Amino acid sequence: SITKERTEVVLQGTSSLDPNDPTAVWEEYDFKCKPGDLKRRPCFITPYHYRLDWLMWFAAFQTYEQNEWIIHLAGKLLAQEEKTLSLMATNPFGGRAPP
C-alpha cells in the first residue's frame, strides 16, 4: 500500500561559520529523481530506478541510526567528493568553498 503522507529526507548545507545562527542560509542538494520541486517533471526511466533516490525514500521511514549510510553520504558531500556529487542533480556549492 502507499501512504497518504510522504515524509522526506532533505540534505542541506550552509556556508555560514555558525550553522546555529538564525540568519544562516541553508541550501538544498537536489537529487536527480527524488520528488522535491513540484514544478519539475517526474523522472521516469522504467523499469530502472536511481538507486540513491530510491534509498532516500525508504530512509524517511526510519531513523538515521537504521540508515548509517546517510551519515557517510553527508560526509562525502561535505568533502565535495566528485563521485558522490555526480549522483546529485545539483551541487549548491559548485565553484564555491565547501559547506
Side-chain angles (χ1 to χ4, degrees):
S1 68
I2 298 176
T3 59
K4 291 184 180 185
E5 291 183 11
R6 180 181 170 94
T7 305
E8 187 173 355
V9 176
V10 176
L11 297 178
Q12 298 176 325
T14 182
S15 294
S16 174
L17 296 176
D18 179 9
N20 295 318
D21 182 355
T23 62
V25 176
W26 288 87
E27 300 177 71
E28 185 174 338
Y29 288 90
D30 288 324
F31 289 78
K32 293 181 178 179
C33 285
K34 183 172 91 60
D37 182 3
L38 297 175
K39 296 179 182 175
R40 185 180 69 194
R41 184 175 158 213
C43 176
F44 292 108
I45 307 171
T46 306
Y48 305 102
H49 294 286
Y50 277 82
R51 180 92 171 139
L52 178 59
D53 301 46
W54 184 250
L55 287 171
M56 291 297 287
W57 182 54
F58 287 106
F61 296 121
Q62 300 171 325
T63 65
Y64 73 90
E65 292 96 349
Q66 295 166 308
N67 294 281
E68 292 181 7
W69 59 268
I70 292 177
I71 303 291
H72 299 287
L73 174 64
K76 289 174 186 252
L77 291 174
L78 286 171
Q80 298 276 20
E81 186 179 279
E82 288 299 319
K83 286 185 179 181
T84 303
L85 289 169
S86 72
L87 300 172
M88 311 303 287
T90 62
N91 173 11
F93 300 96
R96 300 183 349 208

